[in-house]
Amino acid sequence: MLANKKEIFIKNRENWKITIFELPESDIFGKKFVAECIKEPDLLKTAWFCQNQGEAYSRACNLVDEFEIQQERLRIFMEHYAVIKDLYLMIIYLSNGDKHNHYLNNNREKSKENFTSVSCCNGFDFEIINGLVAEGLLELSTTKKSMTMKKKGMKAAREVLQKTNIDGVNRLLEQREYHEEYINYKSQLDIMEEQEEEE
């Protein structure tokens, strides 16, 4: 049936070519229109068995748009992951302790011979978080399950990131350039808090 399909029209959408076909026979619901969406070099999406040409084209556009949205989400995720992955690795590595096998060769001393890994807890080291809170870089919620980073913490984080040599960091900082405006702006409340700290 698909081999004998008849081409009705072709339209371009972004970098996609959408072709609407009419099949020689309809399905049990009377639907006999199909749309093929092709993006070079080898992407193919198909909208199957539609009632009419308009429905086939509309479903094809939805397929194409949804695919492009997913690709954009993936691109953004990969950009962030490329930076965050290294940061997480550094934080986990630096904030946790060495793990040793105390029973290896009956040796209870910590040594390179019985070293097994760097231990990793589910969450950050509580003392480090407390230190950041004490410095005013973070605020913990009352349940201590979530954290808020305000101006002082954001400024410190951006300064650390600017000093790193990780691919993609500059792009992420540029995307959040508006944070600089937020950090440097002083509201009446900020001025009052500064005056209280000075007293």
Side-chain angles (χ1 to χ4, degrees):
M1 187 161 69
L2 290 173
N4 298 321
K5 61 191 179 187
K6 176 186 171 186
E7 186 180 298
I8 305 298
F9 66 84
I10 298 174
K11 283 191 178 181
N12 291 318
R13 185 177 180 87
E14 301 292 328
N15 297 318
W16 293 81
K17 182 175 85 171
I18 299 174
T19 309
I20 308 301
F21 296 98
E22 184 177 359
L23 302 174
E25 297 175 23
S26 61
D27 67 0
I28 57 170
F29 302 106
K31 298 177 178 181
K32 62 175 188 174
F33 290 90
V34 173
E36 281 185 355
C37 315
I38 297 172
K39 184 177 183 180
E40 297 297 339
D42 56 3
L43 275 173
L44 172 66
K45 300 282 179 188
T46 307
W48 295 100
F49 298 106
C50 302
Q51 198 73 47
N52 53 52
Q53 299 173 27
E55 182 190 352
Y57 181 69
S58 177
R59 283 178 61 187
C61 290
N62 288 341
L63 274 175
V64 164
D65 292 347
E66 184 57 37
F67 179 83
E68 292 297 340
I69 288 167
Q70 288 172 355
Q71 290 300 108
E72 179 64 9
R73 284 179 185 152
L74 179 61
R75 184 191 65 74
I76 291 168
F77 169 77
M78 292 308 292
E79 270 186 5
H80 284 75
Y81 180 74
V83 174
I84 290 169
K85 173 188 162 189
D86 287 342
L87 294 175
Y88 265 59
L89 287 172
M90 286 190 289
I91 292 165
I92 290 167
Y93 177 75
L94 293 172
S95 64
N96 290 282
D98 293 349
K99 200 168 186 179
H100 293 80
N101 184 338
H102 297 292
Y103 301 100
L104 190 64
N105 297 327
N106 294 320
N107 185 352
R108 291 179 178 271
E109 296 296 319
K110 293 179 180 180
S111 68
K112 64 181 180 184
E113 286 80 17
N114 61 16
F115 176 81
T116 58
S117 63
V118 174
S119 64
C120 179
C121 303
N122 185 14
F124 292 99
D125 186 286
F126 192 68
E127 288 182 5
I128 292 172
I129 296 299
N130 277 348
L132 294 171
V133 169
E135 286 189 58
L137 298 171
L138 285 179
E139 287 182 9
L140 280 173
S141 67
T142 50
T143 61
K144 299 191 177 180
K145 290 183 179 178
S146 63
M147 296 175 286
T148 303
M149 181 178 279
K150 294 198 174 175
K151 291 181 181 181
K152 188 176 178 182
M154 289 168 67
K155 186 173 187 236
R158 287 181 68 83
E159 286 170 357
V160 168
L161 285 165
Q162 284 162 356
K163 292 174 187 172
T164 63
N165 188 25
I166 301 170
D167 288 341
V169 167
N170 288 338
R171 181 168 165 74
L172 291 184
L173 287 171
E174 284 169 11
Q175 288 172 353
R176 294 163 177 79
E177 190 63 35
Y178 61 92
H179 282 174
E180 290 291 339
E181 254 185 77
Y182 175 73
I183 291 165
N184 295 322
Y185 173 73
K186 289 192 178 182
S187 66
Q188 280 299 116
L189 184 61
D190 293 329
I191 293 165
M192 286 170 59
E193 284 177 354
E194 282 178 6
Q195 288 169 348
E196 284 175 13
E197 284 174 11
E198 287 170 6
E199 293 171 2

